[in-house]
Amino acid sequence: MQLLLFIVVYPILWLISMLPFRVLYFFSDCTYVLVYRIIGYRKKTVRENLAIALPHLSDKERHAIEKKFFHHFVDGFFEMIKTMTISDKEVIKRFKFTNLEVYQAMEKRGKSIALLCAHYSSYEWLVSMNKHIEFKGYGIYKKIKNKYFDRLVHDIRGKFEAHLIDTKETISVIHDNQKNGVLGVYGFASDQSPKASKAYHWGEFFGIRVPVHTGAEMIAKRMDMNVIFVKGRKIKRGYYEATFVEMADNPKEVPNYKITEMFLRLVEEQILEAPEYYLWTHKRWKHRYEEFAEGNKKKIDVIS
């Protein structure tokens, strides 16, 4: 069944990826009407999230952001498909780095790098970073259940010299690379919500205490990796830029969870500048400390 689905869907995706951007965005506009106005895909979740994160705005202002978000969200879906056949020249023209020298200076320190980012702007095209760096690039991801589509994602990333690591393999791969003298930059998109029962730390995100992913910080400390944040920005439709922000060059000396908290503040700052480009469809505030603490006192004692 997995193979049959792949055989049916893959040619469609490939044909879409071959479309020029002008035509691609025409289809994106049509799909926006279907997704937002007709189906209303996760509209309730998006609306609730915007109200939580942006209470200082009026309903009218949040509604305007909501519509802009869905336009961007659908554009991102088609841009992801376009990645299948986009040329190096084209993606480098459309996704630029404003201060590569900050990252390059970190490479010269001779330690592997943990790169933190959020689901913001064009996090898919961030993979083009591998065309500008010396270290071996890795992306931490959750394996797709359909093995054929999972292989396709690996192949697409491979075009940009990026290697995907399943979340369960992360520590072992980094450990082996360190042992064999392989310097790498490891990308962590750490802004989504982990399971509350498995959280090691609860931090404030837009004023609400929620469970947060701490894996990037913990691994950076354990493996003595430098830490950097990449801030995305959308210039106009189909054009993006990214800016590097140094976070820590000796994470073992940084108090526990301070790097994670710093990451949350950088993500908040980024979102407030242009909230329509954040991924509002996931339930970031589905677990809250006060609600979880009521029935899980022993667990809270451990992780607080």
Side-chain angles (χ1 to χ4, degrees), residues 160-173:
F160 298 96
E161 301 170 23
H163 307 269
L164 295 183
I165 312 173
D166 181 67
T167 50
K168 297 177 181 178
E169 305 170 331
T170 305
I171 292 178
S172 61
V173 170

PDB file of all heavy atoms in Angstrom, residues 160-173:
ATOM      1  N   PHE A 160      21.326  19.014  -1.452  1.00  0.00           N
ATOM      2  CA  PHE A 160      21.965  20.161  -0.813  1.00  0.00           C
ATOM      3  C   PHE A 160      23.028  19.728   0.196  1.00  0.00           C
ATOM      4  O   PHE A 160      23.384  20.481   1.106  1.00  0.00           O
ATOM      5  CB  PHE A 160      20.902  21.018  -0.122  1.00  0.00           C
ATOM      6  CG  PHE A 160      19.891  21.584  -1.076  1.00  0.00           C
ATOM      7  CD1 PHE A 160      18.681  20.937  -1.279  1.00  0.00           C
ATOM      8  CD2 PHE A 160      20.160  22.735  -1.786  1.00  0.00           C
ATOM      9  CE1 PHE A 160      17.750  21.454  -2.173  1.00  0.00           C
ATOM     10  CE2 PHE A 160      19.235  23.250  -2.676  1.00  0.00           C
ATOM     11  CZ  PHE A 160      18.026  22.607  -2.864  1.00  0.00           C
ATOM     12  N   GLU A 161      23.488  18.492   0.030  1.00  0.00           N
ATOM     13  CA  GLU A 161      24.572  17.943   0.859  1.00  0.00           C
ATOM     14  C   GLU A 161      24.185  17.887   2.336  1.00  0.00           C
ATOM     15  O   GLU A 161      25.043  18.015   3.222  1.00  0.00           O
ATOM     16  CB  GLU A 161      25.847  18.771   0.658  1.00  0.00           C
ATOM     17  CG  GLU A 161      26.314  18.788  -0.794  1.00  0.00           C
ATOM     18  CD  GLU A 161      27.428  19.799  -1.033  1.00  0.00           C
ATOM     19  OE1 GLU A 161      28.117  20.155  -0.062  1.00  0.00           O
ATOM     20  OE2 GLU A 161      27.587  20.233  -2.185  1.00  0.00           O
ATOM     21  N   ALA A 162      22.895  17.714   2.592  1.00  0.00           N
ATOM     22  CA  ALA A 162      22.416  17.609   3.969  1.00  0.00           C
ATOM     23  C   ALA A 162      22.084  16.148   4.274  1.00  0.00           C
ATOM     24  O   ALA A 162      21.602  15.412   3.416  1.00  0.00           O
ATOM     25  CB  ALA A 162      21.169  18.469   4.162  1.00  0.00           C
ATOM     26  N   HIS A 163      22.339  15.752   5.499  1.00  0.00           N
ATOM     27  CA  HIS A 163      22.085  14.385   5.943  1.00  0.00           C
ATOM     28  C   HIS A 163      21.038  14.421   7.058  1.00  0.00           C
ATOM     29  O   HIS A 163      21.170  15.194   8.005  1.00  0.00           O
ATOM     30  CB  HIS A 163      23.374  13.737   6.442  1.00  0.00           C
ATOM     31  CG  HIS A 163      24.497  13.807   5.453  1.00  0.00           C
ATOM     32  ND1 HIS A 163      24.747  12.823   4.521  1.00  0.00           N
ATOM     33  CD2 HIS A 163      25.428  14.778   5.222  1.00  0.00           C
ATOM     34  CE1 HIS A 163      25.784  13.155   3.782  1.00  0.00           C
ATOM     35  NE2 HIS A 163      26.218  14.340   4.184  1.00  0.00           N
ATOM     36  N   LEU A 164      20.022  13.592   6.939  1.00  0.00           N
ATOM     37  CA  LEU A 164      18.966  13.553   7.943  1.00  0.00           C
ATOM     38  C   LEU A 164      19.248  12.488   8.989  1.00  0.00           C
ATOM     39  O   LEU A 164      19.692  11.389   8.665  1.00  0.00           O
ATOM     40  CB  LEU A 164      17.611  13.284   7.285  1.00  0.00           C
ATOM     41  CG  LEU A 164      17.095  14.370   6.342  1.00  0.00           C
ATOM     42  CD1 LEU A 164      15.713  13.999   5.811  1.00  0.00           C
ATOM     43  CD2 LEU A 164      17.050  15.729   7.022  1.00  0.00           C
ATOM     44  N   ILE A 165      18.980  12.839  10.238  1.00  0.00           N
ATOM     45  CA  ILE A 165      19.139  11.903  11.351  1.00  0.00           C
ATOM     46  C   ILE A 165      17.798  11.794  12.061  1.00  0.00           C
ATOM     47  O   ILE A 165      17.223  12.811  12.465  1.00  0.00           O
ATOM     48  CB  ILE A 165      20.187  12.383  12.379  1.00  0.00           C
ATOM     49  CG1 ILE A 165      21.480  12.821  11.705  1.00  0.00           C
ATOM     50  CG2 ILE A 165      20.456  11.304  13.405  1.00  0.00           C
ATOM     51  CD1 ILE A 165      22.460  13.453  12.681  1.00  0.00           C
ATOM     52  N   ASP A 166      17.316  10.585  12.219  1.00  0.00           N
ATOM     53  CA  ASP A 166      16.099  10.389  12.995  1.00  0.00           C
ATOM     54  C   ASP A 166      16.374  10.781  14.451  1.00  0.00           C
ATOM     55  O   ASP A 166      17.484  10.605  14.959  1.00  0.00           O
ATOM     56  CB  ASP A 166      15.661   8.928  12.921  1.00  0.00           C
ATOM     57  CG  ASP A 166      14.393   8.670  13.698  1.00  0.00           C
ATOM     58  OD1 ASP A 166      13.335   9.172  13.308  1.00  0.00           O
ATOM     59  OD2 ASP A 166      14.468   7.955  14.709  1.00  0.00           O
ATOM     60  N   THR A 167      15.359  11.329  15.112  1.00  0.00           N
ATOM     61  CA  THR A 167      15.526  11.794  16.490  1.00  0.00           C
ATOM     62  C   THR A 167      16.111  10.724  17.411  1.00  0.00           C
ATOM     63  O   THR A 167      16.877  11.028  18.321  1.00  0.00           O
ATOM     64  CB  THR A 167      14.170  12.266  17.057  1.00  0.00           C
ATOM     65  OG1 THR A 167      13.182  11.244  16.827  1.00  0.00           O
ATOM     66  CG2 THR A 167      13.710  13.546  16.371  1.00  0.00           C
ATOM     67  N   LYS A 168      15.768   9.473  17.154  1.00  0.00           N
ATOM     68  CA  LYS A 168      16.245   8.383  18.008  1.00  0.00           C
ATOM     69  C   LYS A 168      17.725   8.066  17.786  1.00  0.00           C
ATOM     70  O   LYS A 168      18.356   7.418  18.612  1.00  0.00           O
ATOM     71  CB  LYS A 168      15.405   7.128  17.764  1.00  0.00           C
ATOM     72  CG  LYS A 168      13.933   7.301  18.131  1.00  0.00           C
ATOM     73  CD  LYS A 168      13.136   6.050  17.797  1.00  0.00           C
ATOM     74  CE  LYS A 168      11.651   6.236  18.133  1.00  0.00           C
ATOM     75  NZ  LYS A 168      10.845   5.031  17.777  1.00  0.00           N
ATOM     76  N   GLU A 169      18.258   8.505  16.654  1.00  0.00           N
ATOM     77  CA  GLU A 169      19.652   8.202  16.313  1.00  0.00           C
ATOM     78  C   GLU A 169      20.611   9.350  16.618  1.00  0.00           C
ATOM     79  O   GLU A 169      21.822   9.206  16.491  1.00  0.00           O
ATOM     80  CB  GLU A 169      19.763   7.884  14.815  1.00  0.00           C
ATOM     81  CG  GLU A 169      18.852   6.785  14.319  1.00  0.00           C
ATOM     82  CD  GLU A 169      18.839   6.675  12.803  1.00  0.00           C
ATOM     83  OE1 GLU A 169      19.057   7.707  12.128  1.00  0.00           O
ATOM     84  OE2 GLU A 169      18.597   5.563  12.305  1.00  0.00           O
ATOM     85  N   THR A 170      20.064  10.490  17.016  1.00  0.00           N
ATOM     86  CA  THR A 170      20.853  11.718  17.107  1.00  0.00           C
ATOM     87  C   THR A 170      22.110  11.567  17.950  1.00  0.00           C
ATOM     88  O   THR A 170      23.228  11.850  17.487  1.00  0.00           O
ATOM     89  CB  THR A 170      19.996  12.866  17.672  1.00  0.00           C
ATOM     90  OG1 THR A 170      18.820  13.007  16.872  1.00  0.00           O
ATOM     91  CG2 THR A 170      20.778  14.165  17.653  1.00  0.00           C
ATOM     92  N   ILE A 171      21.952  11.130  19.179  1.00  0.00           N
ATOM     93  CA  ILE A 171      23.101  11.065  20.089  1.00  0.00           C
ATOM     94  C   ILE A 171      24.160  10.096  19.574  1.00  0.00           C
ATOM     95  O   ILE A 171      25.359  10.395  19.604  1.00  0.00           O
ATOM     96  CB  ILE A 171      22.639  10.671  21.510  1.00  0.00           C
ATOM     97  CG1 ILE A 171      21.796  11.795  22.115  1.00  0.00           C
ATOM     98  CG2 ILE A 171      23.850  10.387  22.404  1.00  0.00           C
ATOM     99  CD1 ILE A 171      21.252  11.491  23.494  1.00  0.00           C
ATOM    100  N   SER A 172      23.738   8.937  19.087  1.00  0.00           N
ATOM    101  CA  SER A 172      24.711   7.939  18.625  1.00  0.00           C
ATOM    102  C   SER A 172      25.474   8.433  17.393  1.00  0.00           C
ATOM    103  O   SER A 172      26.688   8.215  17.284  1.00  0.00           O
ATOM    104  CB  SER A 172      24.015   6.608  18.317  1.00  0.00           C
ATOM    105  OG  SER A 172      23.057   6.755  17.288  1.00  0.00           O
ATOM    106  N   VAL A 173      24.777   9.104  16.471  1.00  0.00           N
ATOM    107  CA  VAL A 173      25.450   9.623  15.272  1.00  0.00           C
ATOM    108  C   VAL A 173      26.456  10.713  15.648  1.00  0.00           C
ATOM    109  O   VAL A 173      27.603  10.709  15.175  1.00  0.00           O
ATOM    110  CB  VAL A 173      24.420  10.176  14.261  1.00  0.00           C
ATOM    111  CG1 VAL A 173      25.130  10.929  13.130  1.00  0.00           C
ATOM    112  CG2 VAL A 173      23.581   9.043  13.681  1.00  0.00           C
TER     113      VAL A 173
END
